[in-house]
Amino acid sequence: MGSIPSWPTGLPVLRGLASSAGSDSLHPATQETQFDDGPSRVRRRSLFVTTPLNMQLRLSAEAFVVFKAFHLNDLNTGARRFQAPVQLPDMSLGQRVCRISGKVAWSAPRRFEYLVSFTLLVQDW
């Protein structure tokens, strides 16, 4: 097993557009197990704390080709984790381990401009 891929340098920092950045869940919800008698047991769902961030990137035609190749080849259509520069809660940039969760949507609202949207799971955000 090799090292994890890095976000391509030609692509923008993962901060998304101001209107799209954010999350509906600061941390993953806990897992709760009910018992017939006694209190329920509540615990973390995973070993790593990840925060889902809604990303929306405006890309040139050239950058869209780079993103598409990165997603397909380096990330195995989103199955692999990667290192990327991410805007942190204090508005600084930091390198974090990330994963794209679910589908990646795209559109071309203008000629030679692509809009790419996805949910980014950021570890230790």
Side-chain angles (χ1 to χ4, degrees):
M1 184 169 145
S3 64
I4 66 173
S6 293
W7 185 248
T9 54
L11 296 179
V13 169
L14 291 168
R15 70 180 84 209
L17 297 175
S19 62
S20 70
S23 175
D24 61 357
S25 175
L26 181 59
H27 298 112
T30 57
Q31 177 77 36
E32 185 171 353
T33 304
Q34 301 289 327
F35 293 98
D36 289 338
D37 57 350
S40 16
R41 180 176 176 209
V42 180
R43 62 196 176 283
R44 287 171 61 161
R45 284 186 182 268
S46 60
L47 296 175
F48 301 111
V49 174
T50 57
T51 300
L53 300 177
N54 299 319
M55 289 290 137
Q56 192 173 60
L57 304 175
R58 287 192 189 279
L59 302 175
S60 66
E62 296 82 14
F64 181 71
V65 170
V66 171
F67 175 82
K68 186 175 179 295
F70 178 69
H71 186 258
L72 176 66
N73 301 320
D74 296 329
L75 301 185
N76 193 21
T77 65
R80 293 190 68 201
R81 300 176 309 147
F82 59 97
Q83 289 271 353
V86 177
Q87 184 171 357
L88 302 176
D90 65 0
M91 297 304 187
S92 68
L93 294 178
Q95 284 289 325
R96 293 293 186 266
V97 174
C98 304
R99 187 173 64 81
I100 293 175
S101 176
K103 66 182 180 178
V104 175
W106 70 276
S107 64
R110 294 189 197 123
R111 189 175 177 171
F112 305 117
E113 179 184 81
Y114 290 83
L115 195 58
V116 177
S117 304
F118 54 89
T119 300
L120 184 72
L121 297 179
V122 182
Q123 189 172 313
D124 298 324
W125 184 69

